[in-house]
Amino acid sequence: MLWWMWVLLWTVLLLGSAVFIGWLLYRTLRGQVLRALDDLERTAGDFSVRWNAAAQGQSTPLRTPAPSALFTPVDETRAAYRSGRDQRQTARLIRRMQRREALGQPQSYRDVRRAEMKGLHHVRSSG
C-alpha cells in the first residue's frame, strides 16, 4: 500500500472516532446535565419562594423526611411490605373487575376466586 493511503485511512479513522465521541458527549449533555440543571432551577425557585416568605415574616413548613428504615426491625419491614403489596393487588383486582363489568366482558375465574378469598363479593362499578 502506498504511504498516502495509510495517512488517508488513519485520518478517516480519527475523524470517525472524534465524531462518535462528540455524539456521545452531546447525548450525555442533553440527557443528564440538562436534567440536573432543571432540578437546580426548580430548587432555586423553591428557595426564592421560601426566602421571600421568610423576609415577610411568614414561615413555610419544610417537608418532613420519611422515617429511616435502616433501624426498623426486619419483621416490621416485611409486614409493611406485604401489607402494601396486598393493598395494591386488591385495588388492581377491583379496578380490573369493575372495568370488565363496565365493558360487558366476562370475569376471569381467577379474579372471581381471588375476590371471594379477600371477601369482595359482588364488586360493582361505582359509576
Side-chain angles (χ1 to χ4, degrees):
M1 232 192 238
L2 298 173
W3 66 270
W4 57 269
M5 280 299 281
W6 286 106
V7 171
L8 182 65
L9 177 69
W10 281 103
T11 304
V12 169
L13 286 174
L14 288 174
L15 287 176
S17 63
V19 168
F20 180 70
I21 290 172
W23 178 70
L24 287 177
L25 289 174
Y26 174 75
R27 285 195 44 164
T28 303
L29 176 73
R30 294 276 301 162
Q32 295 174 354
V33 173
L34 292 179
R35 191 177 316 130
L37 289 175
D38 288 341
D39 290 343
L40 180 66
E41 181 182 6
R42 195 175 317 116
T43 303
D46 292 344
F47 178 76
S48 66
V49 168
R50 290 185 189 279
W51 184 270
N52 292 335
Q56 294 174 0
Q58 302 169 350
S59 63
T60 57
L62 296 174
R63 284 181 257 159
T64 57
S68 174
L70 186 62
F71 300 109
T72 305
V74 176
D75 294 336
E76 290 180 21
T77 306
R78 285 184 185 145
Y81 171 75
R82 288 181 181 136
S83 170
R85 183 184 61 191
D86 189 47
Q87 290 174 358
R88 289 188 304 274
Q89 287 176 349
T90 303
R92 198 176 316 129
L93 174 70
I94 291 171
R95 285 193 311 266
R96 184 172 48 242
M97 290 183 75
Q98 288 175 346
R99 182 183 65 240
R100 285 183 166 228
E101 183 182 335
L103 295 175
Q105 297 175 343
Q107 295 292 339
S108 167
Y109 179 69
R110 180 189 67 199
D111 289 345
V112 173
R113 279 191 44 217
R114 286 184 181 168
E116 287 176 357
M117 286 175 26
K118 292 179 183 277
L120 302 172
H121 299 289
H122 305 296
V123 176
R124 299 284 180 208
S125 59
S126 59

